[in-house]
Amino acid sequence: MADRIIVTGGAGYIGSHVCVDLLSAGKSLLIIDDFSNSSPEAVRRIQELAEGDIRLLKSDLADPAQRERIIDAARDFRAQGAIHLAGLKAVGESVTEPERYYRVNLGSALTLIDALKATGGKLIVFSSSATVYGDRNKSPVDETGLLGPTNPYGRTKYFIEEMLRDLHVSDPGWKIANLRYFNPVGAHPSGRIGEDPNGVPNNLFPYIAQVAVGRREKLRVFGDDYDTRDGTGVRDFIHVCDLARGHRAALDHLAREKAPGVVDVNLGTGLGYSVLEAVAAFKRASNRDIPYEIAPRREGDIAEIYANPSKAKALLGWTAEKSLDDMCADHWRWQRENPTGYGE
Ligand code: UDP
């Protein structure tokens, strides 16, 4: 069994939902987070939503000066594995500051590997992304799709996947799951935890939510001349609680199997919705107007991508259960009840 788990980036958007899910399943957690894009308030709320054993280490995994401290904490915790979510994630920023993205994302993964080596817990569930597929696949994309990320952020995800494969070659005792997320949205149904982006949101749902709540004037829809149903981009939106459950399914799979090796798994619903369909669904859920204008295509965007999620079902026994309406209702509840997020 793997019951003592490090969650890096555990205070973040996906991390906070993963922590609630794992605690509810009886796991003990060591959260490592530097709060550079998250809040200690999220950890407080995780504890409010789920009882259980949490330790918190405020540390930057990419800072060499903190490496020993992190290794000591992992050893002291007797970690049996990790869910690795810490990292920088803004695509545009990664294009202007590539070295920072490589240093932070690759450096953090390496420190985590060192920490796990110190504890003997050779198990990692890694937060990868559908962005590793690049733009040359026809949807639905399965795990054999062509890889080819188109920006530095995506390449850090791809390189970490490869690094973990090499780690497994060097020592087949390692058990690895690369979880390729599609578009995580929504929030915990309690309305207590959710996405709290720094500054102007890059992603569609947080932007829509801030328009609905009146924090921003209107959404810009990036392109309405794609070769899709209504001309706008099509994505596989997945409820963050389904995604969180997928991490637990992956963890349990790795723990249970004697030699699972390295598994790459899509976490998506298998359904594609367009930007305008998402706007309409959010409007229904919130009963608010979502003004928008059509803007030029955003550089680097592709017309359409959605998952073939059958491997997750066959291997992990996991499928997404929540609908687009659930995603919008829960995202809206979080936004309405926390109009300024965790608010510092
Ligand atoms: N999008 C948009 N306006 C925004 C943000 C996103 O029209 O303010 C579109 C974007 O062009 C893409 C979809 O919404 O077609 C999802 O974008 P997001 O950044 O959320 O995720 P991505 O799929 O790029 O990872």
Side-chain angles (χ1 to χ4, degrees), residues 28-335:
S28 296
L29 306 183
L30 168 61
I31 295 177
I32 305 180
D33 202 303
D34 67 353
F35 300 119
S36 57
N37 187 24
S38 62
S39 163
E41 176 62 14
V43 179
R44 218 187 52 72
R45 294 195 188 181
I46 292 168
Q47 287 172 301
E48 172 192 306
L49 291 172
E51 285 176 15
D53 174 25
I54 293 198
R55 298 186 195 187
L56 171 64
L57 179 68
K58 179 177 183 298
S59 254
D60 175 359
L61 282 151
D63 176 3
Q66 301 183 42
R67 191 173 160 279
E68 290 309 319
R69 238 182 111 214
I70 291 166
I71 293 173
D72 287 345
R75 198 185 282 120
D76 189 49
F77 175 62
R78 291 178 288 117
Q80 294 170 311
I83 297 193
H84 180 46
L85 304 138
L88 301 173
K89 60 173 187 178
V91 172
E93 194 177 77
S94 81
V95 175
T96 52
E97 301 171 72
E99 331 84 87
R100 185 158 77 94
Y101 270 68
Y102 289 117
R103 189 175 300 118
V104 170
N105 288 5
L106 300 184
S108 297
L110 287 167
T111 301
L112 176 66
I113 291 168
D114 289 343
L116 288 175
K117 279 192 164 175
T119 71
K122 298 178 186 173
L123 186 159
I124 299 178
V125 174
F126 171 54
S127 102
S128 187
S129 165
T131 185
V132 298
Y133 291 120
D135 53 9
R136 283 168 299 164
N137 296 287
K138 214 179 130 35
S139 288
V141 184
D142 71 23
E143 292 79 357
T144 63
L146 287 173
L147 302 181
T150 53
N151 56 66
Y153 158 74
R155 277 186 280 275
T156 66
K157 293 292 180 190
Y158 168 72
F159 290 152
I160 293 169
E161 283 196 2
E162 294 298 300
M163 204 156 91
L164 295 174
R165 265 182 255 287
D166 287 337
L167 185 67
H168 174 261
V169 171
S170 74
D171 173 357
W174 280 94
K175 302 175 172 190
I176 309 285
N178 293 317
L179 301 184
R180 296 175 176 164
Y181 309 161
F182 281 68
N183 290 58
V185 301
H188 193 271
S190 65
R192 297 297 289 159
I193 55 174
E195 186 167 17
D196 182 16
N198 267 340
V200 183
N202 293 305
N203 296 113
L204 181 65
F205 264 68
Y207 206 106
I208 294 179
Q210 292 193 5
V211 172
V213 84
R215 255 173 90 179
R216 307 203 179 265
E217 194 195 339
K218 61 181 164 208
L219 173 73
R220 297 172 42 175
V221 172
F222 298 137
D224 69 346
D225 55 354
Y226 286 109
D227 182 17
T228 59
R229 277 196 292 285
D230 60 19
T232 64
V234 166
R235 295 292 183 275
D236 185 335
F237 300 104
I238 172 170
H239 196 294
V240 65
C241 291
D242 279 336
L243 193 76
R245 220 170 19 80
H247 289 72
R248 175 153 52 90
L251 192 64
D252 290 345
H253 169 79
L254 296 182
R256 192 172 50 236
E257 297 294 314
K258 249 198 151 60
V262 180
V263 296
D264 303 321
V265 185
N266 286 343
L267 293 184
T269 63
L271 301 171
Y273 287 103
S274 76
V275 171
L276 290 181
E277 287 166 348
V279 171
F282 207 97
K283 196 170 162 180
R284 278 197 305 278
S286 62
N287 210 10
R288 298 283 176 102
D289 218 22
I290 321 273
Y292 68 84
E293 66 183 14
I294 305 298
R297 291 182 178 190
R298 182 172 68 180
E299 178 139 342
D301 273 354
I302 60 177
E304 169 172 275
I305 181 162
Y306 54 94
N308 175 340
S310 17
K311 187 172 176 187
K313 184 170 186 193
L315 197 69
L316 312 179
W318 172 93
T319 41
E321 287 166 2
K322 293 183 186 260
S323 68
L324 183 63
D325 288 335
D326 297 329
M327 301 175 209
C328 292
D330 291 339
H331 206 113
W332 174 239
R333 185 177 306 103
W334 154 254
Q335 181 69 66

